[in-house]
Amino acid sequence: MNRTPDSFYDRGATFRDEPALARVEQAVAEGAAIIDIGGVKAGPGEEVTAEEEARRTVGFVAEVRRRFPDVIISVDTWRAEVGEAVCEAGADLLNDAWGGVDPGLAEVAARHGVGLVCTHAGGVEPRTRPHRVTYDDVMTDILDVTLGLAERAVALGVPRESVLIDPGHDFGKNTRHSLEATRRLDEMVATGWPVLVSLSNKDFVGETLDRPVKERLIGTLATTAVSAWLGAQVYRVHEVAETRQVLEMVASIAGHRAPAVARRGLA
């Protein structure tokens, strides 16, 4: 749920409450288990203060909690003061997409007993784009950062089972870095921490296929299938129904899910 007027994906379609709540209802009906709410677009743009970010998200979190008591509510924020407010309103998970730039956010998660997403963002400042970023080994850097953030969170008191790690596609990375992070995702899975991936319609998909935002679904779903095969467990997406079909198909190919029906050759 992009509670912003300038989202790269929907251009503010869910900025107002009623369209946003309708979208939550649709996402839940299509099989979403987690609703991720953000009040600041990831890319550069007009300044959004902590007060404005909270205004866009806190009341909305409370209303989603009231209408959908069983859904997991995640809030995409890097600010501890916003994290504090949304946890008081009913959030279950803090999605720190900017790699612990505010160390107080993990302390908030520990204090409220909520989950935390620990993301690799390449050390860039929030809402800035990478410029000629280099790594000796991008996956080594991803692992060093995310595992360090995860262990710190647990040491602070965040429940270990509620900590996820995210390679941070596009964040502090160029397209080749994001492709390599996908290709080597099994190295993150092997750590034992549950892996979250945020792939949906991102620039690395667009650049790989030379497609604008609204034509990136096929590339996103291909990347989703590869990530699922390599063991990712949580997917932050825009197109819920299509993603669920991909994940169910991969699970069935892997032998973890039975076909929904089995008639062929049995009549």
Side-chain angles (χ1 to χ4, degrees), residues 48-241:
V48 180
T49 64
E51 292 75 16
E52 174 61 16
E53 183 184 357
R55 188 192 69 79
R56 294 176 179 184
T57 56
V58 174
F60 189 72
V61 167
E63 184 62 16
V64 173
R65 177 84 294 148
R66 186 184 72 81
R67 296 195 189 192
F68 305 92
D70 297 327
V71 77
I72 298 170
I73 299 176
S74 167
V75 175
D76 181 347
T77 185
W78 74 88
R79 291 166 164 150
E81 60 265 48
V82 176
E84 184 76 38
V86 296
C87 285
E88 291 175 357
D92 304 294
L93 177 66
L94 295 175
N95 181 12
D96 182 8
W98 290 103
V101 67
D102 183 347
L105 191 63
E107 297 169 10
V108 170
R111 188 160 55 251
H112 287 273
V114 303
L116 183 70
V117 180
C118 299
T119 306
H120 179 273
V124 300
E125 289 295 313
R127 307 194 67 196
T128 62
R129 299 194 188 281
H131 179 68
R132 299 191 183 280
V133 62
T134 61
Y135 299 97
D136 291 335
D137 183 309
V138 67
M139 183 51 73
T140 295
D141 204 82
I142 288 170
L143 290 172
D144 286 348
V145 170
T146 57
L147 298 185
L149 291 170
E151 292 293 352
R152 175 179 181 267
V154 171
L156 287 169
V158 179
R160 178 171 286 270
E161 65 274 14
S162 300
V163 176
L164 302 94
I165 58 175
D166 177 355
H169 289 80
D170 275 358
F171 281 59
K173 300 171 189 66
N174 62 31
T175 289
R176 292 182 185 274
H177 293 143
S178 293
L179 291 171
E180 183 172 350
T182 306
R183 186 164 59 249
R184 298 173 61 185
L185 201 66
D186 56 340
E187 295 177 40
M188 295 190 75
V189 173
T191 67
W193 296 97
V195 175
L196 178 151
V197 287
S198 181
L199 312 168
S200 188
N201 301 288
K202 283 196 167 178
D203 284 348
F204 82 97
V205 175
E207 286 194 357
T208 299
L209 301 176
D210 194 16
R211 291 285 186 260
V213 171
K214 292 299 183 180
E215 296 178 17
R216 297 176 184 176
L217 177 58
I218 294 173
T220 296
L221 295 179
T223 314
T224 298
V226 171
S227 300
W229 188 260
L230 293 176
Q233 294 187 36
V234 181
Y235 302 80
R236 186 176 183 270
V237 305
H238 298 101
E239 293 90 1
V240 177

